Amino acid sequence: MTWQDLAANKKAHVSDAIPPEWRLKTTPSTDSVMSVPKESGILTDQELAITEASGADLVKDLASGKLSSVAVTTAFCKRAALAHQLVNCLHDFLPAFALARARYCDEYLDKHKKPIGPLHGLPISLKDQARIKGFETTMGYAGWIGKIDQRNSVLVDLLDKAGAVFYVKTSVPQSLMVCETINNVFGRTLNPRNKNWSSGGSSGGEGAIIGFRGSVIGVGTDIGGSIRTPAAFNFLYGLRPSHGRLPYARMANSMEGQETIHSVCGPLAHSVGDLRLFTTAVLEQQPWNFDSKVVPMPWRQGEADAVKAKVSAGGLTLGYYSCDGNVLPHPPVLRAVQTVVDKLKGAGHAVLPWEPYKHPYAVDLANRVYASDGGADIHSALKLSGEPAIPNINDLVNPSLEKLDINEVWQCQLDKWNYQMEYLAAIRNFEAKTGRELDAIIAPVTATAAILHNQFKYYGYATVINVLDFTSVVVPVTFADKNIDVKAAGFTPLTDLDATVQEGYDPEAYHGAPAAVQIIGRRFTEERVMAIAEEIGRLLHS
């Protein structure tokens, strides 16, 4: 069987899982598909209300019995089915499996008069790296089709213990290593706000389905921006925790065993409250007892409360930067950063310029790490079926680069460690000069708002944070406006890549595209950074 046959069968399998009564009779011709759930008539008024509620509200109603898990799961399955038909965001659709679990949750609540756990009966979407026993994890490779997982990923086990329901596995780019979600099996995932825009990557299916509200909270992963870019492009919040805070064990991955820059798991959602719900629910299951890399660190409410006290007193100290020295962001992103700075200053907080410390160096270091095997892992997966590499892969994992030998790998690891310590020294110097403790840094997530397909060129704004292993939370800010976000006259490019990125800016094409910032804190500051992000969101959108 050819790889094309394998891909066609897998794609048909997912489509066939959608019941006939959930299928659209016609596909809208508009660029945006955000209005389809209300206009299609496929969801009831109650189902629309359920899918547009917050996760925090839903778990309260599920725990009290006000809503049944069957009703909530059905609503999200229907909206997810619409999402897939419109923007191609699923690698697996599991309504029968999900509804069986939902019925169990309802029966448990009825029998025991208490919920299973903090996520009782709540549907959670999973990026197609998360393994569910009995199902496939293709990860966008034709050669992985037909391999049935024999065990759950640790995170899946713990979410199950917390009471979650699993109903979809969402799309990723071939190999995961690009910020545009496309593979040879399913094709391209689109942005529901405008099908001409990317949904981001590699958690692009999560970005699309949550942006469409076919999911309320989803699991992504991030080694170079793969949670943060989809969050930014779909006007969502996203948490990139430090390595060791949440479990990653038994997730599928490219380049397994690469230990210099770690991929991490984290949630995407419509609010910081839902990021917190997910994080606290997982930490409540004591993941350090199941994944040896997880640090025994329960949720520290005192850390969040300390930030809230500073917020109340107008006493946060935040750094910010708009340019990393490699590539200047497009006008909508520059405006997003300035909007956040102005809002915080208006609330009485100290917001001071931060000089990005050797970011171009860190970007180059990351690129060496990502290509350290010369692309051998990815290309061995492609050889299983004979499928070609997607063009985007060579932008980040260039097979023409020579493999690093073990001593060169060790040097990369030492270079990373030294860079991390130098960055801490830069923070200490900032604090000594200002006489203030630096609470966090405000920065672009990417150089662009939600980008046109095949135009994503620069990963550096996100990747540096992976090198540092800092905590980062994406905050959605604004939308590109062709009347405001005009090209700067007389701009001199910083680099050749900068010239390419600037050439790609078209105010008309980007009109309405989501633009975001990331709030960056030191390692293991998830509670603090989420609290800061929540305050920024309140200032922006109250």
Side-chain angles (χ1 to χ4, degrees), residues 28 153 183 227 263 266 385 391 425 451 461 471 503 518:
S153 298
N183 60 67
I227 288 169
S263 183
S385 68
I451 199 166
Y461 282 97
T471 300
E503 183 64 28
Q518 58 179 330

Side-chain angles (χ1 to χ4, degrees), residues 136-205:
E136 294 177 352
T137 299
T138 65
M139 221 171 68
Y141 287 129
W144 286 17
I145 294 171
K147 294 182 178 180
I148 305 301
D149 287 320
Q150 303 303 309
R151 304 175 73 184
N152 289 339
S153 298
V154 165
L155 181 58
V156 170
D157 273 337
L158 299 185
L159 291 169
D160 182 78
K161 284 179 63 178
V165 174
F166 308 121
Y167 65 117
V168 291
K169 299 188 75 181
T170 58
S171 56
V172 302
Q174 180 193 78
S175 85
L176 307 175
M177 295 302 294
V178 294
C179 278
E180 171 88 14
T181 297
I182 183 171
N183 60 67
N184 292 323
V185 179
F186 290 95
R188 187 187 302 276
T189 299
L190 310 176
N191 190 310
R193 290 180 181 272
N194 187 320
K195 292 183 289 184
N196 298 306
W197 300 333
S198 168
S199 65
S202 63
S203 310

Side-chain angles (χ1 to χ4, degrees), residues 276-326:
R276 188 182 296 116
L277 169 66
F278 177 94
T279 306
T280 55
V282 173
L283 293 178
E284 192 174 299
Q285 312 310 312
Q286 300 184 336
W288 46 88
N289 290 325
F290 304 91
D291 181 347
S292 61
K293 290 188 176 182
V294 176
V295 175
M297 186 184 293
W299 178 261
R300 301 164 298 173
Q301 186 57 39
E303 294 289 296
D305 290 342
V307 168
K308 291 176 183 176
K310 280 190 171 185
V311 165
S312 297
L316 290 175
T317 299
L318 299 157
Y320 77 95
Y321 62 91
S322 298
C323 182
D324 67 352
N326 253 350

Side-chain angles (χ1 to χ4, degrees), residues 78-399:
K78 289 169 78 170
R79 197 148 178 161
L82 290 180
H84 185 60
Q85 292 171 76
L86 294 164
V87 297
N88 193 34
C89 59
L90 301 183
H91 282 188
D92 233 331
F93 184 44
L94 315 171
F97 176 76
L99 287 167
R101 166 69 169 175
R103 284 190 289 273
Y104 170 79
C105 291
D106 291 338
E107 290 165 3
Y108 184 98
L109 184 68
D110 184 61
K111 179 179 179 180
H112 297 281
K113 310 303 178 188
K114 65 178 184 179
I116 293 171
L119 299 177
H120 174 90
L122 185 70
I124 297 288
S125 53
L126 300 173
K127 183 179 183 178
D128 190 32
Q129 285 180 262
R131 301 185 187 275
I132 306 176
K133 182 180 178 180
F135 296 99
E136 294 177 352
T137 299
T138 65
M139 221 171 68
Y141 287 129
W144 286 17
I145 294 171
K147 294 182 178 180
I148 305 301
D149 287 320
Q150 303 303 309
R151 304 175 73 184
N152 289 339
S153 298
V154 165
L155 181 58
V156 170
D157 273 337
L158 299 185
L159 291 169
D160 182 78
K161 284 179 63 178
V165 174
F166 308 121
Y167 65 117
V168 291
K169 299 188 75 181
T170 58
S171 56
V172 302
Q174 180 193 78
S175 85
L176 307 175
M177 295 302 294
V178 294
C179 278
E180 171 88 14
T181 297
I182 183 171
N183 60 67
N184 292 323
V185 179
F186 290 95
R188 187 187 302 276
T189 299
L190 310 176
N191 190 310
R193 290 180 181 272
N194 187 320
K195 292 183 289 184
N196 298 306
W197 300 333
S198 168
S199 65
S202 63
S203 310
E206 283 300 322
I209 197 172
I210 300 169
F212 189 76
R213 289 194 176 269
S215 170
V216 66
I217 304 172
V219 174
T221 65
D222 194 314
I223 193 173
S226 291
I227 288 169
R228 289 162 291 156
T229 303
F233 285 3
N234 291 278
F235 209 71
L236 302 171
Y237 290 83
L239 167 66
R240 187 263 176 216
S242 293
H243 169 63
R245 193 73 202 270
L246 294 176
Y248 201 94
R250 297 203 294 270
M251 299 285 280
N253 206 1
S254 288
M255 299 180 287
E256 284 189 298
Q258 185 278 111
E259 292 283 308
T260 307
I261 299 175
H262 295 96
S263 183
V264 297
C265 290
L268 297 87
H270 284 277
S271 68
V272 173
D274 282 355
L275 300 183
R276 188 182 296 116
L277 169 66
F278 177 94
T279 306
T280 55
V282 173
L283 293 178
E284 192 174 299
Q285 312 310 312
Q286 300 184 336
W288 46 88
N289 290 325
F290 304 91
D291 181 347
S292 61
K293 290 188 176 182
V294 176
V295 175
M297 186 184 293
W299 178 261
R300 301 164 298 173
Q301 186 57 39
E303 294 289 296
D305 290 342
V307 168
K308 291 176 183 176
K310 280 190 171 185
V311 165
S312 297
L316 290 175
T317 299
L318 299 157
Y320 77 95
Y321 62 91
S322 298
C323 182
D324 67 352
N326 253 350
V327 172
L328 180 71
H330 286 176
V333 176
L334 296 175
R335 181 165 59 84
V337 173
Q338 192 59 50
T339 298
V340 172
V341 169
D342 292 344
K343 287 285 187 180
L344 285 161
K345 285 183 175 179
H349 302 291
V351 189
L352 306 171
W354 170 261
E355 182 66 31
Y357 178 77
K358 290 172 59 174
H359 282 208
Y361 169 84
V363 173
D364 289 343
L365 175 59
N367 289 337
R368 282 163 54 207
V369 172
Y370 298 149
S372 59
D373 74 337
D377 179 84
I378 291 171
H379 287 274
S380 66
L382 300 180
K383 287 177 184 176
L384 293 172
S385 68
E387 67 173 307
I390 59 171
N392 316 53
I393 286 178
N394 290 352
D395 292 341
L396 196 64
V397 184
N398 189 337

Side-chain angles (χ1 to χ4, degrees), residues 487-542:
K487 278 191 172 184
F491 172 73
T492 301
L494 301 170
T495 59
D496 290 343
L497 181 56
D498 190 24
T500 301
V501 171
Q502 301 310 320
E503 183 64 28
Y505 180 58
D506 178 349
E508 284 284 344
Y510 285 95
H511 183 68
V517 299
Q518 58 179 330
I519 313 305
I520 303 161
R522 280 166 271 205
R523 294 186 71 222
F524 297 120
T525 55
E526 288 78 19
E527 296 90 345
R528 284 179 170 265
V529 178
M530 278 193 267
I532 294 168
E534 191 166 43
E535 171 61 9
I536 291 170
R538 186 191 69 79
L539 291 172
L540 290 168
H541 307 302
S542 60

